[in-house]
Amino acid sequence: MRDIVEIGMGKTAQRGYHLDDIAIVPSRRTRDVDDVSTNWQLDAYKFGIPCVAHPSDAIMSPASAVALGRLGGLGVLNVEGLWTRYEDPRKQLEALAEAGDEENLTARLQQLYAAEPIKPELIAERVREMRALAGDGNVTVAVRVSPQHTLALAPVILDSGVDLLVIQGTIVSAEHVSTVDEPLNLKEFIADLDLPVIVGGCTNYQTALHLMRTGAAGVIVGIGADHLTTSEAVLGIRVPMASAIADAAAARRDYLDETGGRYVHLIADGDLHTSGDIAKALGCGADAVMLGAPLSLAEGMPGNGLWWHPSASHPKLPRGSIGLTPEPLGSLEQLLYGPATDPDGLLNLFGGLKRAMAKCGYRDLKEFQKVGLLLDN
């Protein structure tokens, strides 16, 4: 049971821990790094690294999604983003980058998304484009849609022939109550599909368990918080990721017992900046990580040196700033696999993960979830 702290008369709070609060503890054994595997599998789809791209237009275009897939990760295109609003949004993205650090950059981003509606025909076109770019390569085609637009956009998404669907919002629950709109019943929706679905984000045990019971193949834990998101300032919501992942892992274990063996993958989304953060998230029980800002440091990203969380473009309540990233650190391949030219854990992200696994004596990701953790505050 997590610590319960009395914060005043009649009010208590659970104590939560961030990834920065914990450290990995090596075991009695070490292992050669070449004997370590970072492979993982979600449903029928296999991946070389536990990396899922955050569906932000700053890093995900059809081309970059396929590029990540070719390198062993999972690229996810946002079907509510610029690539389904404009025939060719590169001009708009370049203009946004040229605006630099203008004070009204958030307003410009909002205008960019509001100026054109989502065009269903472009959703199908982008999926075809990704298929063509992938060729005969082993690339999984995935798209993201928000819970609010799932029912409206699902027919064209499913007809386009995607491999995997991500239903993602800042906070997603299995029981959304509305007296205005018809709510999305995730359990009924997923039951009618013949493709795997990832849903999220969630922040606690109970929500994670409810989302697993919808039949989802994967659950996103966290709200994608990084140095530019403002969910705490706007909504008062802050997610201690180490605790959130551990809670969701407990829900997964209980759901595994409840169903007699159905395993749901956990994808950590938030508080992830370096290879060490990735290792700690997996050590807490995640199966993969969702990366946004770290991937924006690669050369040739669609944002041209900008990074923003998808919620930064919300028309009424943006919950993220737009940041100028430093000069690109290297190619996407170098970002994922190295070699690293700096000592800060920003390059060779998954080489760093393999090294951490080797130093602790684990040969694969499932074993590494059992690694010991140390709380040092």
Side-chain angles (χ1 to χ4, degrees), residues 95-124:
L96 189 66
E98 288 171 1
D101 54 358
E102 287 185 6
E103 292 183 3
N104 66 342
L105 208 52
T106 295
R108 289 192 61 154
L109 190 69
Q110 289 174 310
Q111 292 165 6
L112 196 57
Y113 283 83
E116 292 288 342
I118 300 166
K119 300 178 177 67
E121 65 274 14
L122 282 180
I123 295 176

Side-chain angles (χ1 to χ4, degrees), residues 147-209:
Q148 295 89 336
H149 292 101
T150 295
L151 292 177
L153 297 179
V156 67
I157 292 172
L158 299 176
D159 287 346
S160 70
V162 297
D163 297 318
L164 194 150
L165 179 63
V166 179
I167 301 175
Q168 184 182 19
T170 303
I171 299 289
V172 173
S173 70
E175 184 181 354
H176 178 69
V177 179
S178 175
T179 58
V180 180
D181 300 312
E182 178 187 1
L184 171 65
N185 186 314
L186 276 171
K187 189 170 186 178
E188 290 181 0
F189 178 80
I190 293 173
D192 291 335
L193 301 181
D194 60 358
L195 80 168
V197 179
I198 296 172
V199 298
C202 70
T203 62
N204 56 49
Y205 169 94
Q206 200 64 44
T207 307
L209 183 61

Side-chain angles (χ1 to χ4, degrees), residues 98-353:
E98 288 171 1
D101 54 358
E102 287 185 6
E103 292 183 3
N104 66 342
L105 208 52
T106 295
R108 289 192 61 154
L109 190 69
Q110 289 174 310
Q111 292 165 6
L112 196 57
Y113 283 83
E116 292 288 342
I118 300 166
K119 300 178 177 67
E121 65 274 14
L122 282 180
I123 295 176
E125 175 58 31
R126 298 312 181 202
V127 174
R128 284 193 294 270
E129 188 177 341
M130 287 190 283
R131 289 278 182 218
L133 289 168
D136 296 329
N138 186 23
V139 174
T140 303
V141 175
V143 300
R144 173 264 179 190
V145 65
S146 68
Q148 295 89 336
H149 292 101
T150 295
L151 292 177
L153 297 179
V156 67
I157 292 172
L158 299 176
D159 287 346
S160 70
V162 297
D163 297 318
L164 194 150
L165 179 63
V166 179
I167 301 175
Q168 184 182 19
T170 303
I171 299 289
V172 173
S173 70
E175 184 181 354
H176 178 69
V177 179
S178 175
T179 58
V180 180
D181 300 312
E182 178 187 1
L184 171 65
N185 186 314
L186 276 171
K187 189 170 186 178
E188 290 181 0
F189 178 80
I190 293 173
D192 291 335
L193 301 181
D194 60 358
L195 80 168
V197 179
I198 296 172
V199 298
C202 70
T203 62
N204 56 49
Y205 169 94
Q206 200 64 44
T207 307
L209 183 61
H210 282 190
L211 290 177
M212 292 172 190
R213 288 171 175 165
T214 66
V219 170
I220 299 168
V221 182
I223 60 174
D226 58 27
H227 63 295
L228 291 175
T229 52
T230 58
S231 292
E232 183 178 5
V234 177
L235 303 176
I237 295 174
R238 181 172 69 231
V239 181
M241 282 298 293
S243 295
I245 298 167
D247 284 353
R252 178 182 58 202
R253 181 196 60 225
D254 292 347
Y255 182 70
L256 196 69
D257 293 339
E258 179 184 301
T259 57
R262 185 174 186 274
Y263 188 91
V264 178
H265 293 80
L266 300 179
I267 301 167
D269 180 24
D271 204 17
L272 298 160
H273 311 285
T274 66
S275 53
D277 294 334
I278 294 170
K280 288 191 278 188
L282 297 173
C284 287
D287 297 282
V289 293
M290 180 170 274
L291 299 182
L295 298 186
S296 71
L297 297 173
E299 296 169 349
M301 289 292 105
N304 299 294
L306 294 180
W307 160 252
W308 64 89
H309 189 278
S311 63
S313 63
H314 193 282
K316 295 182 179 179
L317 197 65
R319 296 179 298 281
S321 303
I322 305 166
L324 274 168
T325 62
E327 286 295 314
L329 294 180
S331 67
L332 181 59
E333 183 173 6
Q334 188 179 359
L335 202 79
L336 301 176
Y337 295 110
T341 54
D342 70 75
D344 301 324
L346 299 174
L347 281 170
N348 200 0
L349 293 171
F350 293 92
L353 169 63

